[in-house]
Amino acid sequence: MNYGNIYENYEPGIVPVNPIEGACYWFAFKGSKLLVEPDDAGFHIPFITHSSGAAYFSDKKLYLGLFKGEPCYCCEAQYTENESSPLKLIELRALFGQMDEATFLLANRALQLLNWDLTSRFCGKCGSANCDKEDERAKLCPKCGHIFYPRISPAPITAVTRDNQILLAHSTRFPGNMHSLIAGFSEVGETLEDCVKRELMEEVGIRVKNIRYFGSQPWPYPDSLMIGFIADYDSGEIRVDGIEISHAEWFPYDKLPELPSRLSIARKIIDWLIENPA
Ligand SMILES: [Zn+2]
């Protein structure tokens, strides 16, 4: 299952249009808040000329390519909102469902690229200032030639099922009584399947079998790629560490606790399982 298609209205590009003339789409962020313009359906990305928006945008811009046939950039927003502001700064996560999916997915990419741009300014090998590589999305150290690509951190997330029940856990980081699927970052040298097995054993003491790929979701906080799996219970009794996970339980599909938002792949997997019981 795909989590939307970022390339539906978007053609990636590296070499910017220079000079910037005419209106462009501007994905401008202040932290993880996106600068958006309200409309009847929710919000959209400002489509304005560089000169009219120049006061809102940082000098450093990354060219993203063509969006809906028009040039689009991402940059930092230098914008202070007040009640009469025509543009609003809104947390990207809160914009899910309030703008079309293609725009939301490209905004996720823009945020992740901006974070990467900010955190890869210097060469980790020799300490020189990096420059943008002209022919691909990467940075080049002009002194030692080292190349730095945007980092993507794979994080498997797994729904374990057992007789029409699903294993859900409450993390100490979760608000209220929210329960979700077990997830964790891949470690060096392990397959995604090994990661799924290790995380479930470490966090809840459960062995699984028959691990199947479900779908994936970029998660730009700051650079995760969530990779969804479904697995069958094999053996073991639930045991939580009490530090990262405070509670875990087998829940019947008709008696589920508070769940994560519909934005998350966790919720997408849970909703799919309820509609497609084994
Ligand atoms: Zn270097």
Side-chain angles (χ1 to χ4, degrees):
M1 174 180 283
N2 281 327
Y3 205 88
N5 177 8
I6 189 174
Y7 300 114
E8 195 180 316
N9 298 312
Y10 168 55
E11 192 182 318
I14 307 291
V15 181
V17 181
N18 210 0
I20 306 173
E21 288 173 343
C24 309
Y25 287 103
W26 294 94
F27 291 82
F29 284 90
K30 194 170 195 173
S32 52
K33 288 182 174 177
L34 177 61
L35 191 64
V36 286
E37 199 168 4
D39 60 28
D40 293 343
F43 298 94
H44 61 266
I45 300 300
F47 180 63
I48 53 180
T49 60
H50 181 240
S51 54
S52 63
Y56 309 153
F57 307 139
S58 59
D59 291 338
K60 175 76 190 273
K61 305 157 191 32
L62 295 178
Y63 179 63
L64 294 171
L66 296 175
F67 181 56
K68 298 178 179 172
E70 306 287 351
C72 63
Y73 290 81
C74 62
C75 62
E76 284 183 79
Q78 294 167 338
Y79 189 80
T80 307
E81 208 184 331
N82 59 48
E83 279 182 14
S84 59
S85 303
L87 302 178
K88 303 288 173 199
L89 281 164
I90 298 184
E91 198 62 46
L92 178 58
R93 272 179 259 209
L95 288 165
F96 175 71
Q98 302 224 58
M99 51 175 37
D100 67 83
E101 192 175 54
T103 307
F104 183 78
L105 291 168
L106 186 52
N108 275 254
R109 181 188 186 108
L111 176 61
Q112 187 163 338
L113 285 176
L114 281 172
N115 281 325
W116 165 72
D117 186 65
L118 280 173
T119 54
S120 58
R121 290 182 295 159
F122 296 95
C123 173
K125 204 172 171 188
C126 77
S128 303
N130 285 327
C131 56
D132 291 330
K133 207 162 176 293
E134 287 174 2
D135 56 347
E136 59 183 340
R137 185 71 70 193
K139 295 200 187 191
L140 173 69
C141 172
K143 194 170 177 194
C144 76
H146 204 84
I147 296 173
F148 299 86
Y149 293 95
R151 189 174 75 171
I152 299 171
S153 304
I157 180 165
T158 311
V160 184
T161 61
R162 179 186 191 180
D163 306 327
N164 278 320
Q165 299 177 102
I166 183 169
L167 178 65
L168 297 172
H170 177 75
S171 161
T172 47
R173 294 175 289 110
F174 291 167
N177 189 37
M178 192 183 97
H179 282 62
S180 188
L181 307 178
I182 298 290
F185 288 108
S186 297
E187 290 190 357
V188 172
E190 68 183 8
T191 62
L192 296 174
E193 292 83 352
D194 284 346
C195 179
V196 166
K197 291 176 186 167
R198 176 180 55 75
E199 286 285 344
L200 285 160
M201 180 48 70
E202 282 177 3
E203 298 199 357
V204 285
I206 293 294
R207 280 196 183 77
V208 294
K209 58 188 179 185
N210 194 16
I211 299 168
R212 290 95 76 195
Y213 175 68
F214 176 84
S216 62
Q217 177 189 30
W219 191 249
Y221 305 100
D223 52 28
S224 303
L225 175 64
M226 306 304 297
I227 305 164
F229 292 95
I230 297 172
D232 297 338
Y233 169 78
D234 182 23
S235 60
E237 294 301 320
I238 292 175
R239 149 185 72 65
V240 298
D241 63 9
I243 301 166
E244 198 172 338
I245 303 285
S246 58
H247 178 247
E249 191 179 325
W250 296 104
F251 289 94
Y253 291 150
D254 58 355
K255 282 182 189 157
L256 293 172
E258 186 185 336
L259 297 174
S261 108
R262 292 185 191 281
L263 163 63
S264 68
I265 191 168
R267 181 61 176 274
K268 208 152 194 166
I269 300 173
I270 295 165
D271 287 348
W272 186 87
L273 282 169
I274 294 167
E275 285 167 24
N276 301 274

